[in-house]
Amino acid sequence: MRYQTRILCRRAELAELAAVWERCRRARARGQLHHRLEHIAIEAEEMARTGSSGWAGDGMMVAALFDPDEGTLVGAAPFLLQEWTWRCRLGYLSVGAFPVRRAVFCGTDWLGPDDPVEQAALLQAILSAEVPYQMIFIEGLPVASDLLRLLRSSPQVRREFWVDTLAGVTPRRLVDLPGSFEAYLAKFSGRTRRTLRYKVKRLRGAMTHGLRLQCVTRKEELPRFLEQAGIVAARSWQGRCLGQSVDEQATRRKLEALAERGWLRGYLLSDGDAPIAFVVGLLDEGTYHYERVGYDPAWAPYQPGTVLLLMILEDLCADGVPRTLDFGYGDSEYKRLFSTRSYDELTVRLVRKSASTVVPYVTHAACWTGAALIRKGLDRFALRERVRRFLRGEPAPAAQIEAEGAADEAEAAHPGRAAHPGAAAHPGRTARPGAAARAGEAARGGEAASSAHAVAP
């Protein structure tokens, strides 16, 4: 079959293809929110507002494949164009920061045709596009995808790009949501179910003004939600060590646009009016995308992230519309505990070979290699998790829920006894986060998670 390829960088060009684009998107085995033209436009607008898109055009690049006889779209690969700072870190220590123009792949797979010849033509259009990107960034590409197979076998890729897959293969974890929350809980052992319920009860008991869960889906609810989520995110280790935060002004317009289209579904867990944990998520075509989470470290002994996730799962099961919760890229203890299935994926960076990219690429590779050696040394003495959690100020991993079950149940049955291991040595573990505890936490700088890729509830 003959084919034609074009590179589209204007929103008006894509608008003309809206109907056939949607048919092509729905024809895929798994429709993706990030392939919707409206979602791509929202992301491009946010980059333009925050100054991270200084490109000609509308901040996007779409490699499109057409049937020349019918003039219809048969395949596409959408990208966002971004002025990005490549920060090279050795652990939490910043070694260097380099400005890079990168093309960020939308979604986790392309709208590719089935014919291998046409797939190769679409890849060639991406690699040969007259757009001055220095890096192609693809996060969470399925290991079994045709695109990854082509990237690995392409002579042009090997000739013109350095291929970075140093992060390695990771599982992408999902939760299949049954008809009821009780049916979902049946996946756990009896001890774990009792322990999870007890953790909810224990958090309620520690609160002064009562547990409150708010589900945010409307535009008018956003100002208050962003204000409260920002308070939590400001205390996070990502905010303190990595400079990440929930910027109300920069984020509001994007979330407003998502809410107007019915995709936004955020959650806020509070002690009365005091925020404790939040989740920003998107719901589309039966899939709830777990985008960003965070919790207040002052409440870490009560595992508010675990409690919030349980309440979200209960709410989604009761709603009946969501069929799947997608935890997104990256693996964590809590994802392993709560997920019901997974598939392997890989993050790929294609760095164009040039004088301007050799130093950033070599620095990045050296940092990854050094970090791997440090991890290996810590693993040798079984210290890696302990050191990581000390630096982040995180509580015990979710995997310990099963092991802690008997002790927590004993504590519930006999509240006068220090049944939990370490309770006597760490009396603050079950202390209510009052004014003194909050003052101490503020003095330490506070640590909370603000990324679904890094936090363990």
Side-chain angles (χ1 to χ4, degrees):
M1 178 180 181
R2 293 162 48 238
Y3 48 81
Q4 291 180 344
T5 58
R6 291 168 53 195
I7 298 296
L8 310 176
C9 295
R10 297 286 182 181
R11 194 176 307 170
E13 296 175 303
L14 294 175
E16 296 175 359
L17 301 172
V20 66
W21 179 286
E22 186 62 16
R23 287 197 299 270
C24 187
R25 189 187 70 85
R26 289 183 175 275
R28 302 296 294 167
R30 187 167 65 96
Q32 298 191 40
L33 170 63
H34 298 86
H35 283 166
R36 286 187 179 274
L37 286 180
E38 288 180 292
H39 189 274
I40 295 172
I42 290 171
E43 294 286 354
E45 287 175 2
E46 184 196 25
M47 287 185 179
R49 284 195 301 269
T50 58
S52 60
S53 178
W55 302 66
D58 292 329
M60 61 184 73
M61 177 188 82
V62 177
L65 186 70
F66 294 89
D67 177 348
D69 296 327
E70 299 181 6
T72 57
L73 183 75
V74 295
F79 294 84
L80 295 170
L81 303 177
Q82 183 182 36
E83 299 280 358
W84 181 64
T85 300
W86 194 354
R87 301 188 185 279
C88 302
R89 289 187 169 91
L90 187 60
Y92 302 129
L93 175 64
S94 179
V95 175
F98 307 93
V100 174
R101 288 191 165 194
R102 70 174 183 172
V104 181
F105 190 60
C106 299
T108 59
D109 206 352
W110 58 1
L111 299 174
D114 296 325
D115 185 270
V117 176
E118 296 177 351
Q119 291 175 350
L122 189 56
L123 177 60
Q124 184 178 7
I126 297 170
L127 301 178
S128 304
E130 295 183 359
V131 176
Y133 64 78
Q134 297 168 297
M135 176 196 295
I136 293 177
F137 179 72
I138 307 175
E139 183 178 73
L141 184 61
V143 170
S145 69
D146 291 332
L147 177 54
L148 182 57
R149 175 183 56 80
L150 284 172
L151 291 174
R152 284 173 166 168
S153 62
S154 169
Q156 186 177 1
V157 168
R158 292 194 297 269
R159 184 173 61 251
E160 300 179 7
F161 295 87
W162 290 301
V163 181
D164 170 22
T165 57
L166 291 172
V169 174
T170 60
R172 190 181 191 96
R173 300 192 180 275
L174 306 100
V175 180
D176 291 318
L177 300 171
S180 70
F181 185 54
E182 290 301 318
Y184 168 72
L185 289 177
K187 92 179 205 70
F188 299 107
S189 68
R191 172 174 289 181
T192 300
R193 288 196 298 272
R194 290 191 296 273
T195 302
L196 291 172
R197 291 191 177 105
Y198 174 64
K199 289 184 184 299
V200 177
K201 179 180 178 181
R202 188 172 66 169
L203 178 61
R204 287 182 184 273
M207 290 183 170
T208 304
H209 303 289
L211 186 149
R212 177 185 176 190
L213 178 69
Q214 180 186 6
C215 180
V216 176
T217 59
R218 301 193 308 272
K219 179 178 177 180
E220 55 269 23
E221 297 171 319
L222 280 172
R224 175 66 173 171
F225 174 77
L226 287 173
E227 177 186 355
Q228 298 288 80
I231 293 173
V232 175
R235 298 168 180 161
S236 70
W237 70 266
Q238 287 94 338
R240 182 169 56 87
C241 300
L242 305 182
Q244 299 177 5
S245 64
V246 176
D247 187 322
E248 182 178 353
Q249 296 302 321
T251 305
R252 179 182 299 183
R253 293 176 67 177
K254 173 185 173 180
L255 294 184
E256 285 177 347
L258 294 170
E260 288 171 352
R261 289 157 179 81
W263 296 333
L264 178 67
R265 194 176 185 120
Y267 291 89
L268 183 68
L269 182 69
S270 305
D271 176 11
D273 292 330
I276 294 175
F278 73 92
V279 166
V280 176
L282 303 175
L283 176 61
D284 180 56
E285 295 184 324
T287 298
Y288 184 68
H289 301 271
Y290 207 66
E291 294 280 315
R292 189 171 187 182
V293 307
Y295 68 89
D296 185 337
W299 291 84
Y302 298 92
Q303 296 185 316
T306 296
V307 174
L308 177 55
L309 179 53
L310 279 171
M311 298 180 77
I312 289 173
L313 288 167
E314 183 174 16
D315 184 66
L316 295 176
C317 288
D319 185 282
V321 174
R323 299 182 298 274
T324 304
L325 184 149
D326 185 347
F327 278 122
Y329 177 75
D331 198 19
S332 297
E333 288 285 351
Y334 79 95
K335 295 182 182 182
R336 289 191 283 273
L337 177 67
F338 288 98
S339 63
T340 58
R341 60 184 171 93
S342 66
Y343 64 87
D344 288 339
E345 62 183 11
L346 189 68
T347 288
V348 180
R349 289 183 180 90
L350 301 181
V351 183
R352 192 180 294 279
K353 295 178 180 179
S354 69
S356 63
T357 57
V358 63
V359 173
Y361 178 73
V362 170
T363 304
H364 166 74
C367 287
W368 264 99
T369 302
L373 291 174
I374 293 173
R375 289 194 296 269
K376 185 177 180 180
L378 292 174
D379 287 343
R380 182 178 180 182
F381 299 100
L383 293 174
R384 180 176 169 185
E385 280 299 307
R386 184 176 300 179
V387 170
R388 184 178 70 85
R389 293 185 180 281
F390 172 77
L391 292 174
R392 294 185 178 185
E394 292 181 352
Q400 292 184 8
I401 289 178
E402 182 82 32
E404 294 175 358
D408 282 339
E409 290 169 23
E411 182 183 342
H414 306 285
R417 301 178 185 177
H420 195 285
H426 304 283
R429 175 177 175 82
T430 55
R432 181 174 299 177
R438 291 183 183 278
E441 186 62 31
R444 292 191 298 270
E447 300 166 4
S450 62
S451 168
H453 302 161
V455 60

